[in-house]
Amino acid sequence: MLINLTRTFISEHSETKISLKHLPLASEQTKYTGEIWYFTCDSMVGTYLDLPGHILETDDGRRGSNLDLADFYRVPTTILHLNRYSNSGAITADDLRKANGGKDEVNRFLIVHALADQLSPHDVEWRSVYLDSTAVQWIIESGCKVLISDVFESKKLEGVFLKLFQAGVSTVCEPVNLFLLKDYAQALITIAFQPMPTAQIPITLLAEI
């Protein structure tokens, strides 16, 4: 079974524009009208991959254009379910450890499904559920190299992304449909993207059960 965890191509951070141009094409043999779409947006559209270079101070040179796609194809992934609601505050290392059956090790890819069934980050008060410093350290020490999560920073901006990127951990932001994984502790995850020369890349995120 394949589950699509990709948000639609929209942006809460800036105006996203999609326009269409018709291009008449004709020759002695045929005549038709081509359609060309134009996109104006930033890199934080839909669901996206943040490499450490998303922050200047942690830039390690990795870009979509120099990554090996094989490292992102059908990767065994640990899934942690927390069932949090709006304004429920900090997620701690103990919360993650408990969700992981008392273990401190995870796969190279880790999904933190923090929010309750059918909730997305835009269904709860902004940054009212977040990873605290102990949770961030636990993730770093767990063996995780790509964190896929529906929560990250608090309103205080405590450096969640900075600490993860300093440790070489990349993140996937704005996933959807994580509740469809609620009966599973593991999946094969594929992160598909164009080889863009950027450190922040819109992606397609797929879970294989």
Side-chain angles (χ1 to χ4, degrees):
M1 179 172 63
L2 199 63
I3 299 174
N4 189 357
L5 306 177
T6 313
R7 196 171 180 228
T8 55
F9 192 81
I10 57 175
S11 174
E12 304 297 329
H13 312 285
S14 65
E15 188 174 1
T16 302
K17 296 180 180 179
I18 302 176
S19 57
L20 174 63
K21 179 181 179 180
H22 286 163
L23 181 64
L25 297 165
S27 70
E28 293 180 357
Q29 290 78 31
T30 187
K31 182 178 180 179
Y32 57 90
T33 303
E35 292 191 336
I36 303 174
W37 281 264
Y38 294 84
F39 305 93
T40 303
C41 62
D42 60 32
S43 55
M44 299 170 70
V45 292
T47 302
Y48 54 92
L49 173 66
D50 270 341
L51 301 170
H54 175 51
I55 293 178
L56 178 63
E57 289 82 359
T58 59
D59 193 347
D60 60 3
R62 281 189 285 164
R63 300 289 186 268
S65 54
N66 60 29
L67 296 177
D68 186 348
L69 287 172
D71 292 336
F72 296 84
Y73 178 65
R74 303 185 75 235
V75 179
T77 300
T78 302
I79 308 172
L80 306 183
H81 303 281
L82 299 173
N83 203 38
R84 291 296 201 93
Y85 288 85
S86 186
N87 291 298
S88 59
I91 292 167
T92 68
D94 287 341
D95 295 328
L96 297 177
R97 185 179 297 108
K98 182 178 179 181
N100 197 38
K103 298 177 293 184
D104 287 318
E105 296 80 29
V106 301
N107 287 311
R108 186 165 59 89
F109 279 23
L110 170 65
I111 292 177
V112 173
H113 172 211
L115 301 179
D117 286 359
Q118 302 190 44
L119 291 181
S120 76
H122 302 280
D123 297 324
V124 301
E125 184 176 332
W126 184 71
R127 293 188 173 184
S128 67
V129 188
Y130 54 90
L131 302 172
D132 78 358
S133 60
T134 68
V136 172
Q137 191 60 35
W138 186 90
I139 290 166
I140 291 169
E141 294 175 357
S142 71
C144 169
K145 294 302 179 185
V146 176
L147 172 62
I148 302 163
S149 180
D150 47 12
V151 301
F152 286 98
E153 273 281 11
S154 74
K155 295 177 184 177
K156 295 180 180 179
L157 189 63
E158 296 171 325
V160 167
F161 288 103
L162 179 64
K163 293 171 185 175
L164 290 171
F165 294 161
Q166 284 174 333
V169 178
S170 301
T171 61
V172 171
C173 302
E174 304 284 352
V176 296
N177 296 331
L178 293 184
F179 69 93
L180 296 176
L181 305 175
K182 65 181 180 179
D183 295 326
Y184 306 99
Q186 294 199 39
L188 297 178
I189 292 294
T190 294
I191 299 175
F193 51 88
Q194 294 295 317
M196 301 171 67
T198 59
Q200 189 177 61
I201 317 158
I203 62 171
T204 296
L205 182 65
L206 301 173
E208 183 179 344
I209 302 300

